[in-house]
Amino acid sequence: MKLYLVQHGEAVPKTEDAERPLSEQGNRDVRAIAALLQSAGVRVERVWHSGKLRAEQTARLLAGALLPRGRKPQAIEGIGPNAPVAEFSVDADVWEDDTLVVGHLPFMARLVALLTTGDSERDIVAYCPGSVACLERAEAGHWVVQWMIRPDILPKTE
């Protein structure tokens, strides 16, 4: 089972829009990541997001490329920026379907750390907006990082 943990794309500043939708750059970055993942054959059975606008927009772009036709991303509870990661990690250990989750820092980084090392406070991955970390369950309670993609390594497009 694979778990794709995504930090939402770059959002506009709160001073520009309190809802913080994706910026133009964030939109471009997420579209590029979605196209790359699709061309690599990544498919998931579900896409979840935090419910915040920037996470929902990111999830919609990724779901369009990675979910089976007709399925839509869903908002879930418990993955806000400062939500505790322990309950989510326990749940993930019993899932069978590849899942993509779009959320926020520090939650995403803490979840990667907890799943891979058992310590949510360790620095394991360096997220930037729009990044995807792919974890694979090696055995119950133990995950390994398969790869990570950050938009800053992709070719720039206008």
Side-chain angles (χ1 to χ4, degrees), residues 10-156:
E10 179 186 277
V12 301
K14 196 176 229 177
T15 55
E16 186 177 318
D17 185 331
E19 292 292 309
R20 303 216 44 224
L22 291 179
S23 67
E24 287 182 30
Q25 184 63 52
N27 201 305
R28 280 193 301 271
D29 288 346
V30 175
R31 285 180 188 281
I33 292 286
L36 177 65
L37 295 177
Q38 185 179 44
S39 70
V42 172
R43 299 290 177 267
V44 296
E45 291 300 314
R46 58 187 170 214
V47 173
W48 289 336
H49 62 84
S50 71
K52 291 184 182 285
L53 181 56
R54 57 198 175 275
E56 179 183 355
Q57 290 173 320
T58 300
R60 270 190 276 139
L61 291 170
L62 292 165
L66 308 178
L67 272 178
R69 197 172 211 86
R71 292 200 188 163
K72 304 247 184 264
Q74 297 179 319
I76 63 168
E77 299 287 322
I79 62 170
N82 294 303
V85 295
E87 184 176 330
F88 191 93
S89 71
V90 170
D91 290 346
D93 277 339
V94 297
W95 298 336
E96 296 296 324
D97 297 324
D98 290 353
T99 301
L100 185 141
V101 181
V102 181
H104 313 266
L105 292 183
F107 181 86
M108 287 296 161
R110 288 180 178 159
L111 183 58
V112 171
L114 183 63
L115 290 172
T116 59
T117 72
D119 180 357
S120 65
E121 299 304 315
R122 294 196 55 196
D123 290 329
I124 301 300
V125 292
Y127 275 99
C128 67
S131 298
V132 180
C134 173
L135 279 62
E136 187 167 26
R137 185 172 53 223
E139 57 190 61
H142 180 72
W143 295 76
V144 294
V145 176
Q146 290 293 309
W147 49 260
M148 183 173 194
I149 298 172
R150 295 168 38 122
D152 57 354
I153 67 164
L154 299 177
K156 299 297 175 214

